[in-house]
């Protein structure tokens, strides 16, 4: 039986509580009534938000977006959220397709490390006679590429689960965009159900989120893919950035997340001693408690992830690599390019 997932409302309440903890107020920050609304997927990568502190005049609240980056882009555009942490490929694709209508800009980064995606399938489909059974035909072939031509479950169109299949290496010479059929299943629960009922042949999701369902025997992993760019960026709706005090509020929030990473996720004492990447005492058990993970899995995850130490920095070349990969896969027009004034907010972001 899969572990019970903490209710989304509890996640929102706990994360938003951190914003009410006191931190030094900015002298120029106006009195505001509207909390900065932050969208994110309620998973382990959101742990810094539970420790983020902003000034009393700049409160924030967390809104759970379990359907991922595609959902958050829609919510930015509708004004339901002000800022989000989304997958790099989803945000880049959304901006490159129509930067004017996108209505948001990249303002920072949450991680320096890439995200590893598991290709999840039914265990029965990997047995003899199954869709993905092992045989000599596929010896030496990247197993993840075997999902081409299959029905892929996704959370939403424009989310990472929709875009990453296009950048899986393949020996095929045809355009990847013509080889997939997608079915929208909304979130991890819907995707798992899609595999169980045969609505989908496979889906892609973050490795450690998927692992507990693999360990229980509900799913099997056909392969994995790790794209060569940082996993998560912050994006803010343009209207909020252009509002009175908007840019300053975003800067303060991102600085607050940076402080949380440097003081609550990673150990300052270890950093001072030259030991980089040592996590703070208690952070592993906190993630286990909040997100129902095994401690060994969280410890393994920390060996693969590197949070940004300065969340206002963005690697522009990595964004360019993502754009090129999406162009090569046929997801984006070859004429698309990274224009700093279009993609990034110069008032909040430092390009490195």
């Amino acid at each position: 039986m899969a572990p019970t997932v903490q209710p989304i409302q509890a996640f929102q309440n706990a994360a938003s509580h951190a914003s009410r903890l006191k931190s030094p107020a900015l002298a120029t920050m106006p009195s505001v009534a509207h909390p900065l609304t932050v969208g994110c997927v309620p998973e382990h990568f959101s742990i810094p938000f539970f420790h983020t502190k902003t000034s009393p005049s700049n409160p924030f609240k967390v809104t759970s977006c379990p359907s991922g980056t595609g959902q958050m882009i829609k919510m930015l555009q509708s004004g339901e959220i002000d800022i989000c942490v989304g997958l790099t490929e989803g945000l880049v694709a959304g901006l490159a397709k129509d930067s004017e209508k996108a209505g948001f800009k990249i303002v920072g980064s949450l991680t320096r490390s890439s995200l590893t995606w598991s290709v999840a399938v039914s265990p029965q489909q990997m047995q003899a006679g199954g869709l993905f059974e092992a045989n000599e035909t596929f010896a030496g072939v990247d197993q993840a590429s075997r999902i081409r031509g299959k029905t892929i479950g996704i959370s939403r169109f424009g989310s990472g689960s929709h875009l990453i299949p296009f950048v899986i290496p393949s020996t095929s010479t045809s355009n990847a965009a013509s080889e997939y059929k997608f079915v929208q299943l909304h979130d991890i629960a819907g995707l798992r159900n899609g595999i169980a009922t045969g609505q989908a042949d496979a889906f892609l999701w973050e490795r450690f989120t998927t692992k507990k369902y693999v360990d229980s025997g509900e799913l099997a992993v056909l392969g994995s893919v790790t794209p060569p760019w940082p996993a998560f960026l912050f994006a803010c709706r343009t209207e909020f950035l252009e509002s009175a005090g908007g840019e300053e509020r975003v800067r303060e929030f991102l600085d607050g997340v940076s402080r949380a990473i440097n003081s609550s996720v990673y150990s300052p004492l270890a950093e001072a001693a030259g030991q980089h990447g040592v996590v703070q005492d208690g952070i592993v058990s906190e993630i286990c408690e909040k997100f129902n993970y095994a401690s060994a899995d969280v410890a393994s995850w920390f060996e693969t992830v590197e949070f940004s130490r300065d969340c206002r920095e963005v690697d522009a070349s990595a964004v360019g690599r993502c754009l090129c990969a999406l162009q090569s896969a046929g997801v984006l027009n070859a004429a698309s390019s990274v224009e700093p004034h279009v993609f990034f907010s110069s008032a909040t972001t430092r390009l490195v």
Side-chain angles (χ1 to χ4, degrees), residues 153-238:
I154 63 173
S155 56
R156 285 202 181 197
F157 288 93
S159 285
S161 58
H162 169 225
L163 297 173
I164 290 298
F166 293 112
V167 299
I168 293 176
S170 173
T171 56
S172 172
T173 57
S174 60
N175 190 317
S178 65
E179 293 192 8
Y180 289 112
K181 176 183 177 183
F182 294 103
V183 56
Q184 183 170 297
L185 297 171
H186 307 296
D187 55 21
I188 185 66
L191 291 164
R192 290 161 48 211
N193 183 64
I195 294 294
T197 60
Q199 289 177 272
D201 299 320
F203 71 84
L204 279 77
W205 209 257
E206 192 271 333
R207 178 173 59 176
F208 285 99
T209 308
T210 310
K211 185 178 182 297
K212 54 189 170 186
Y213 306 114
V214 175
D215 291 345
S216 72
E218 178 184 346
L219 298 172
V221 174
L222 178 65
S224 63
V225 57
T226 305
W229 50 77
F232 294 104
L233 298 175
F234 287 97
C236 184
R237 61 187 180 95
T238 308

Side-chain angles (χ1 to χ4, degrees), residues 1-305:
M1 180 179 294
T4 302
V5 178
Q6 184 182 25
I8 287 174
Q9 186 62 50
F11 164 83
Q12 294 177 178
N13 291 344
S16 297
H17 170 72
S19 74
R20 296 191 292 272
L21 301 176
K22 290 185 178 181
S23 69
L26 297 183
T28 58
M29 184 70 69
S31 176
V32 294
H34 167 67
L36 182 71
T37 307
V38 183
C40 70
V41 178
E43 293 175 353
H44 44 303
F45 280 97
S46 64
I47 193 64
F49 299 144
F50 290 84
H51 297 271
T52 298
K53 303 174 185 178
T54 54
S55 63
S57 60
N58 187 24
F60 73 90
K61 65 178 182 180
V62 174
T63 294
S64 176
C65 303
S67 293
T69 305
Q71 177 187 14
M72 287 186 275
I73 288 175
K74 295 288 187 184
M75 293 176 74
L76 284 172
Q77 292 168 337
S78 68
E80 294 174 79
I81 59 175
D82 301 312
I83 190 170
C84 75
V85 58
L87 290 162
T88 296
E89 55 272 10
L91 297 176
V92 168
L95 280 166
K97 286 178 179 177
D98 194 331
S99 58
E100 291 297 323
K101 292 183 179 179
F104 66 88
K105 289 192 175 185
I106 293 169
V107 295
S109 61
L110 180 66
T111 60
R112 293 177 179 174
S113 53
S114 302
L115 192 72
T116 296
W117 296 77
S118 288
V119 180
V121 300
S122 165
Q124 288 72 36
Q125 294 288 19
M126 293 185 67
Q127 297 174 3
L131 195 61
F132 302 110
E133 69 169 315
N135 59 57
E136 293 181 0
T137 304
F138 297 102
V141 173
D142 182 350
Q143 294 299 297
S145 68
R146 294 179 65 185
I147 66 172
R148 285 204 172 196
K150 307 299 189 294
T151 300
I152 310 302
I154 63 173
S155 56
R156 285 202 181 197
F157 288 93
S159 285
S161 58
H162 169 225
L163 297 173
I164 290 298
F166 293 112
V167 299
I168 293 176
S170 173
T171 56
S172 172
T173 57
S174 60
N175 190 317
S178 65
E179 293 192 8
Y180 289 112
K181 176 183 177 183
F182 294 103
V183 56
Q184 183 170 297
L185 297 171
H186 307 296
D187 55 21
I188 185 66
L191 291 164
R192 290 161 48 211
N193 183 64
I195 294 294
T197 60
Q199 289 177 272
D201 299 320
F203 71 84
L204 279 77
W205 209 257
E206 192 271 333
R207 178 173 59 176
F208 285 99
T209 308
T210 310
K211 185 178 182 297
K212 54 189 170 186
Y213 306 114
V214 175
D215 291 345
S216 72
E218 178 184 346
L219 298 172
V221 174
L222 178 65
S224 63
V225 57
T226 305
W229 50 77
F232 294 104
L233 298 175
F234 287 97
C236 184
R237 61 187 180 95
T238 308
E239 185 178 358
F240 184 86
L241 284 169
E242 294 175 349
S243 66
E247 292 173 344
E248 189 172 1
R249 292 187 65 188
V250 170
R251 286 195 296 268
E252 195 212 352
F253 171 73
L254 294 174
D255 288 342
V257 179
S258 300
R259 287 193 298 271
I261 290 169
N262 291 318
S263 63
S264 298
V265 175
Y266 293 118
S267 167
L269 292 177
E271 290 289 325
Q275 297 174 293
H276 302 296
V278 177
V279 298
Q280 188 69 284
D281 289 342
I283 199 71
V284 170
S285 59
E286 181 182 347
I287 292 174
C288 292
E289 179 182 348
K290 284 181 167 64
F291 301 106
N292 296 298
Y293 287 108
S295 59
D297 288 344
V298 176
S300 295
W301 170 67
F302 266 118
E303 292 177 1
T304 68
V305 69

Side-chain angles (χ1 to χ4, degrees), residues 327-346:
Q327 288 171 327
S328 297
V331 177
L332 294 176
N333 189 298
S336 302
S337 62
V338 177
E339 297 290 345
H341 69 282
V342 173
F343 272 50
F344 308 105
S345 167
S346 60

